[in-house]
Amino acid sequence: MKVLVGVKRVIDANVKARVKSDGTGVETANVKMAMNPFCEIATEQAVRMKEAGSVTEIIAASCGPAANVETLRTALAMGADRGVHVQTDAELQPLAIAKLLKSVAEKEQVQLVILGKQAIDNDFNQTGQMLAALLGWSQATFASAIEVAGEWLKVTREVDGGLEHVEVKLPAVVTADLRLNEPRYASLPNIMKAKKKPIDTLTPDALGVDVTPRLKTLKVSEPPARKAGIKVESVAQLVDKLKNEAQVI
Ligand code: AMP
């Protein structure tokens, strides 16, 4: 089966994001960028499924500006076979990305799409669900294990208080949770090989997708600074403060 993996370029998880001084968004100029961690997990899953023989080809897709090619190269170095870059400088919101990925999934005739459960920059957690709905395919979100069983996928989902085991019929969209796997680091030879793997460039117009934003960001602000803590002298004082000042016991 052919698999499509969606990979998003975001601010590196180790960098502290800064809000722009005019409150319109988060500063991305001169900031280290990387593949969204949940997309690394999605890519790793597809590569493991190919190594296990249940996947024949992995196509990595990324929607966004020219620099997204770097993110695609990372996916190719991890083991994806080809890249598809939907190039645009327009602001892309989950519905637009879902429409673009739908178009790519249909064009490439994949049977499975694996996405991250969420992008760590906007925390939308919407694209996979919207994509499954647009395609009319089965969906399994927050996957912590995936097993291929003929025409079905057995997916373990992390839910509050435990694990839920579901079966979804292919074709399907699955979103990857943190514990699905530990993504590999691309080796130097694989990084070199990835430079020769093909990347197709498309545009939203060529795919017939209108990416006009449907929601407007009114304001972005820093979280309130944490107040300094205090040291208590004794357990009795701690209990007293919890009871009378914080009023939590
Ligand atoms: P979100 O719904 O924004 O939290 O993103 C969930 C997942 O959708 C990500 O982990 C990616 O797999 C996929 N995705 C989001 N944005 C993009 C993008 N610009 N290009 C490719 N895939 C994306």
Side-chain angles (χ1 to χ4, degrees):
M1 101 176 118
K2 272 170 93 170
V3 176
L4 179 70
V5 182
V7 293
K8 186 174 189 191
R9 181 177 151 90
V10 298
I11 293 181
D12 188 294
N14 301 309
V15 171
K16 191 178 178 310
R18 276 181 302 112
V19 172
K20 285 184 189 167
S21 52
D22 62 2
T24 55
V26 169
E27 192 60 74
T28 52
N30 301 320
V31 175
K32 186 167 181 256
M33 306 293 280
M35 188 192 292
N36 178 46
F38 292 107
C39 301
E40 288 182 348
I41 297 172
T43 306
E44 174 68 30
Q45 185 60 30
V47 175
R48 289 189 190 188
M49 289 168 82
K50 190 174 174 200
E51 286 168 347
S54 46
V55 161
T56 49
E57 189 181 25
I58 303 166
I59 301 154
S62 192
C63 314
N68 281 35
V69 166
E70 280 173 33
T71 313
L72 285 171
R73 291 279 170 218
T74 306
L76 298 174
M78 287 175 72
D81 297 291
R82 310 193 268 119
V84 173
H85 180 204
V86 183
Q87 188 169 352
T88 173
D89 290 326
E91 178 195 346
L92 293 176
Q93 295 181 349
L95 181 60
I97 294 160
K99 287 179 181 173
L100 294 171
L101 293 178
K102 171 182 188 270
S103 178
V104 175
E106 286 173 342
K107 192 166 169 289
E108 297 289 351
Q109 301 206 311
V110 301
Q111 289 79 48
L112 174 63
V113 181
I114 312 180
L115 302 183
K117 74 163 179 181
Q118 75 193 56
I120 60 161
D121 54 357
N122 51 34
D123 280 344
F124 274 132
N125 175 8
Q126 295 178 7
T127 311
Q129 294 87 328
M130 287 179 173
L131 176 60
L134 291 174
L135 284 164
W137 290 6
S138 325
Q139 64 171 301
T141 51
F142 311 129
S144 61
I146 304 174
E147 193 191 316
V148 183
E151 295 287 288
W152 295 75
L153 289 182
K154 291 184 178 181
V155 180
T156 306
R157 304 185 59 239
E158 298 218 345
V159 293
D160 276 355
L163 297 175
E164 183 182 51
H165 302 275
V166 296
E167 272 193 342
V168 289
K169 193 156 178 25
L170 292 164
V173 176
V174 177
T175 69
D177 211 331
L178 194 63
R179 276 166 284 271
L180 181 57
N181 59 50
E182 213 171 291
R184 69 196 63 193
Y185 288 104
S187 65
L188 192 57
N190 285 344
I191 293 173
M192 300 311 286
K193 269 191 225 154
K195 294 190 183 191
K196 297 209 179 92
K197 292 186 179 176
I199 295 181
D200 285 342
T201 306
L202 301 166
T203 59
D205 278 352
L207 294 171
V209 174
D210 173 9
V211 296
T212 311
R214 301 294 184 91
L215 61 93
K216 204 169 144 192
T217 303
L218 301 179
K219 191 174 156 222
V220 178
S221 48
E222 298 273 357
R226 227 178 124 189
K227 288 196 195 119
I230 53 154
K231 267 192 182 167
V232 289
E233 301 294 333
S234 64
V235 172
Q237 195 188 357
L238 173 66
V239 172
D240 177 65
K241 283 193 178 294
L242 290 174
K243 213 175 197 171
N244 300 316
E245 281 180 29
Q247 299 185 336
V248 290
I249 55 172

